[in-house]
Amino acid sequence: MERLLQRIPDERADVIVGLDSRIRDILAIAAVRLLPVADRLPAAWPDRLRAALAMEQARAAAFGRIVGQVLGDARVASLSPIVIGGAAIAAGHYPVAFLRHTAQLTLLMPDVDGCERARPVLTALGCQLESETPSRSRRVYRHPTGMPVVLFADRACTRMRDFRHADVLSRARPARMAGCPCQIPAPHDLWTELCYRAIVSGPTVSPQWLLDAVCLLASGDVEAADEAAFRQDTRMRLPYGALARALEAMLPQGALSPGRTEPDAR
C-alpha cells in the first residue's frame, strides 16, 4: 500500500487513506499483484489497448441501443422491472457507466406473468428465447447481436430470501440507462447479489468482480451491506482469497519474471 500511495497524486492518496479498511485491503491486494508488472509491460501494449478501447466503444454503443429499446418501451416500463447485476452497478456506482464492461441486460420482474407480458417486446426486437426453467421463472433471450437479455420472475435465486421483487423494489433507487429512467437495487441489495455471485463462481472470482466490489463499497454503507449479505448466506463475506486469485489470473501472460516469488496474499 505504501508503494501504491507513492505513485499517485497526493490528493488521491488522501482519498485512499480515508476509505473503509476493507476497501483498502482490496487495493493493497491489487497493489502487490499489479505494481511489479506496470513497468514491464511489452511495448506493443499501448496499441493493443487502443484497439481494445475502440472495440469496447462499439460494443457499448450497441448495448445502449438495445437497452434503450427495451427499457424505453412503455409496455415494459409498466411492469416495474428492476435492472440487476452488472448493468445496475455500472449505472448507479461507477464514475462513468462506460468504464464497466457490460454485455448483458438482466431484469427482475414481479412474477411469471410479467415475464410473459415482456415477451412481445423482446420478440419484436428480434430476440429469440434461448432457454427457460421448467417453472418459467428464468428466461434467457438472445438478441440478433448475440447479447443476452435475462428475465427473472420475483427473485433471482431462492437462496437470497430478501431479494424478492417487492422487497427490492421498496428499497430501489432511480437511475438512467441509455437515456431511459429505470429502477436499480439499493447498494446493500447489489452487494448481496455480488457476494452470491462470488460464492457460486467456483474457486476464484473474475477481475470484473474486483472492480464492482470497490465501486460498490466505496459508494454505500459497508457494514449494512455486509450484514445484509451475511443474513442471506453465512458464506457471503468479502472473499479476500478469491480476490487475490482473481488478480493473479488477470496478469498478462509473460509480464512476470519466471523467477518471481509468490506475493503474500493474506
Side-chain angles (χ1 to χ4, degrees), residues 158-238:
T158 56
R159 184 176 294 171
M160 295 189 289
R161 297 180 298 277
D162 298 336
F163 209 79
R164 302 186 77 102
H165 180 275
D167 296 327
V168 177
L169 185 62
S170 70
R171 302 184 289 263
R173 301 184 176 186
R176 296 190 71 83
M177 289 185 61
C180 301
C182 63
Q183 294 288 326
I184 63 173
H188 78 268
D189 283 324
L190 285 173
W191 179 246
T192 296
E193 186 187 7
L194 193 66
C195 288
Y196 175 73
R197 276 195 273 146
I199 67 174
V200 299
S201 64
T204 187
V205 294
S206 70
Q208 182 66 72
W209 194 101
L210 168 80
L211 301 176
D212 287 349
V214 170
C215 290
L216 189 54
L217 289 174
S219 61
D221 185 334
V222 176
E223 290 296 334
D226 214 22
E227 287 306 315
F230 185 75
R231 287 196 301 271
Q232 299 297 307
D233 190 304
T234 55
R235 293 173 295 172
M236 289 189 189
R237 288 294 192 193
L238 186 59

Side-chain angles (χ1 to χ4, degrees), residues 77-132:
S78 69
L79 301 173
S80 300
I82 306 170
V83 180
I84 62 175
I89 296 176
H93 299 280
Y94 271 67
V96 179
F98 172 75
L99 296 177
R100 189 202 189 276
H101 175 86
T102 307
Q104 174 176 308
L105 177 63
T106 307
L107 301 178
L108 183 63
M109 309 297 287
D111 47 34
V112 173
D113 181 63
C115 293
E116 185 61 33
R117 290 168 62 188
R119 180 196 292 265
V121 177
L122 297 177
T123 53
L125 296 175
C127 296
Q128 298 291 323
L129 181 62
E130 187 173 83
S131 65
E132 64 179 337

Side-chain angles (χ1 to χ4, degrees), residues 20-30 32-33 191 195 198-199 203-205 209-210 213-214 217 222-223 226 235-248 264-266:
D20 177 86
S21 61
R22 272 168 285 193
I23 301 177
R24 291 202 305 272
D25 286 346
I26 295 174
L27 293 176
I29 293 171
V32 76
R33 285 288 194 264
W191 179 246
C195 288
I199 67 174
T204 187
V205 294
W209 194 101
L210 168 80
V214 170
L217 289 174
V222 176
E223 290 296 334
D226 214 22
R235 293 173 295 172
M236 289 189 189
R237 288 294 192 193
L238 186 59
Y240 290 110
L243 291 177
R245 290 190 295 273
L247 282 162
E248 184 74 9
D264 186 359
R266 282 178 296 174

